[in-house]
Amino acid sequence: MHIFETISLLKKFLAEVRSQQKSIGLVPTMGALHEGHLALIRQSLEENEITVCTIYVNPAQFNNADDLAKYPRNIKSDAEMLQSANCDVIFCPSNEIMYPDGNDKSIKMDLGDVTQVLEGKYRPGHFSGVGVVLTKFFHIVDPHRVYFGQKDLQQVAVVQKLIRELFFKLQLIRVPTVRDQRGLALSSRNSRLSEEERVTAAKLFQTLNIVKQTLLEQPTAIKEAKEEALSFLRKEKKVELEYLEVVDANNFGTVSDIHNHQEVAVCIAAYIAGVRLIDNLLL
Ligand code: AMP
């Protein structure tokens, strides 16, 4: 496995790969890797000859300094996990390399309506930071395929738009969410929760399932489905809900009848013991 910290060395390596007509898969991550990330890595390894995993905690996509400071970082165990998964390349640049101006907010990106709701609304500037850093990675790596988790479904919709509108010649692959045995979506942030708090966090999955079941039976009963789920979640005193919404999975627009859309998702964001978690289910 190769580990690169500079753009020039990575590009030199990838130029050689490309000259041998080999396909390149890119898996962007912020590290603190778990089985969810590894699902992306494994799929990329199956579908490409070379897999590049980026590990970079991108300051531009954090709107909360405390969240950025507390974000778990563990490059050593990440490298070990990637090595045993047979990943080919790690790219782990510094902030100085990714933002040569010294200011991670010096470029901003407005990716339109899909970034105005849910995560975009509650984390102002988040998708601008995501769009900028991914544009940089797409230019540096120039992959054939890029892998994202369904766990961050709105990010998938935003990146689809970025690829389409900026004419990036690459394919986005969405990988299903990996969960623990209770249904809790794996997340790097889960490491900040106690065992008891993780049990509470798994209630978010149950909440999503209540909405899903109701809507599969009554496709227009959005309000009722949400109310039923919320009355379940209200019993959990440690959960501070931010949003629970039913949206079109492609553009994150509103839904009044789930049958009128190609793909519909129910999305949730909540704080548990001060840790912000998100999850979603496709209907
Ligand atoms: P992150 O390191 O949180 O930025 O995540 C990097 C990538 O891994 C993103 O595409 C995430 O959607 C994906 N990912 C994170 N958690 C999971 C999970 N539990 N299942 C599948 N993919 C995930």
Side-chain angles (χ1 to χ4, degrees):
M1 188 173 67
H2 302 266
I3 303 181
F4 296 110
E5 292 179 2
T6 67
I7 296 172
S8 54
L9 288 177
L10 174 67
K11 284 186 87 156
K12 195 165 158 232
F13 174 84
L14 291 175
E16 179 66 25
V17 167
R18 235 172 266 112
S19 74
Q20 296 164 9
Q21 316 293 326
K22 287 185 179 165
S23 57
I24 300 169
L26 171 65
V27 182
T29 81
M30 298 202 298
L33 302 181
H34 50 66
E35 278 297 318
H37 297 110
L38 289 186
L40 275 60
I41 297 285
R42 289 194 193 104
Q43 189 157 342
S44 174
L45 286 168
E46 264 173 39
E47 296 173 352
N48 303 279
E49 284 152 297
I50 292 288
T51 290
V52 178
C53 177
T54 60
I55 298 182
Y56 179 59
V57 182
N58 173 33
Q61 70 190 68
F62 284 79
N63 59 317
N64 178 327
D66 189 50
D67 191 25
L68 173 61
K70 288 187 178 151
Y71 200 84
R73 293 162 169 89
N74 200 339
I75 186 75
K76 195 164 167 276
S77 82
D78 288 347
E80 282 165 13
M81 278 173 88
L82 290 171
Q83 170 92 57
S84 47
N86 288 325
C87 182
D88 302 288
V89 175
I90 301 178
F91 179 49
C92 47
S94 63
N95 289 338
E96 290 68 32
I97 283 180
M98 289 308 287
Y99 295 99
D101 264 6
N103 175 5
D104 62 79
K105 309 270 185 334
S106 70
I107 298 179
K108 296 208 170 67
M109 213 180 231
D110 183 346
L111 287 151
D113 291 349
V114 64
T115 65
Q116 297 305 307
V117 295
L118 308 194
E119 289 303 287
K121 182 173 157 197
Y122 285 94
R123 301 184 69 189
H126 170 66
F127 287 122
S128 168
V130 168
V132 169
V133 83
L134 288 176
T135 300
K136 289 173 185 252
F137 284 142
F138 293 169
H139 281 309
I140 296 166
V141 178
D142 191 15
H144 296 84
R145 297 180 191 85
V146 63
Y147 295 80
F148 289 95
Q150 187 204 316
K151 156 93 171 20
D152 298 275
L153 190 65
Q154 193 172 3
Q155 174 168 271
V156 172
V158 171
V159 181
Q160 284 287 16
K161 179 160 181 185
L162 177 78
I163 291 171
R164 213 169 46 238
E165 293 283 334
L166 296 187
F167 307 116
F168 283 111
K169 214 171 142 270
L170 56 90
Q171 193 188 353
L172 188 159
I173 315 284
R174 184 180 77 194
V175 179
T177 304
V178 179
R179 302 178 178 281
D180 74 7
Q181 65 283 5
R182 291 166 292 221
L184 172 63
L186 300 191
S187 163
S188 305
R189 289 187 173 87
N190 293 353
S191 67
R192 293 173 53 201
L193 298 175
S194 69
E195 188 50 30
E196 194 191 338
E197 287 159 354
R198 286 182 205 200
V199 173
T200 305
K203 305 280 179 191
L204 302 184
F205 178 60
Q206 291 178 35
T207 307
L208 292 173
N209 270 306
I210 293 172
V211 177
K212 179 172 176 170
Q213 284 316 317
T214 308
L215 287 178
L216 290 181
E217 286 156 26
Q218 300 166 265
T220 59
I222 313 281
K223 196 162 161 254
E224 294 79 359
K226 277 168 54 176
E227 270 166 14
E228 193 181 333
L230 289 176
S231 69
F232 164 79
L233 196 61
R234 257 181 234 116
K235 292 184 205 124
E236 296 301 325
K237 299 289 173 242
K238 284 193 180 154
V239 177
E240 246 181 90
L241 182 74
E242 205 158 60
Y243 62 73
L244 174 67
E245 295 294 344
V246 178
V247 293
D248 182 303
N250 292 311
N251 55 29
F252 276 68
T254 51
V255 167
S256 51
D257 179 340
I258 67 169
H259 290 327
N260 292 343
H261 302 260
Q262 208 181 14
E263 214 173 22
V264 171
V266 49
C267 302
I268 195 165
Y271 282 90
I272 289 151
V275 180
R276 188 175 186 278
L277 300 178
I278 61 169
D279 197 358
N280 68 82
L281 282 182
L282 291 166
L283 303 191

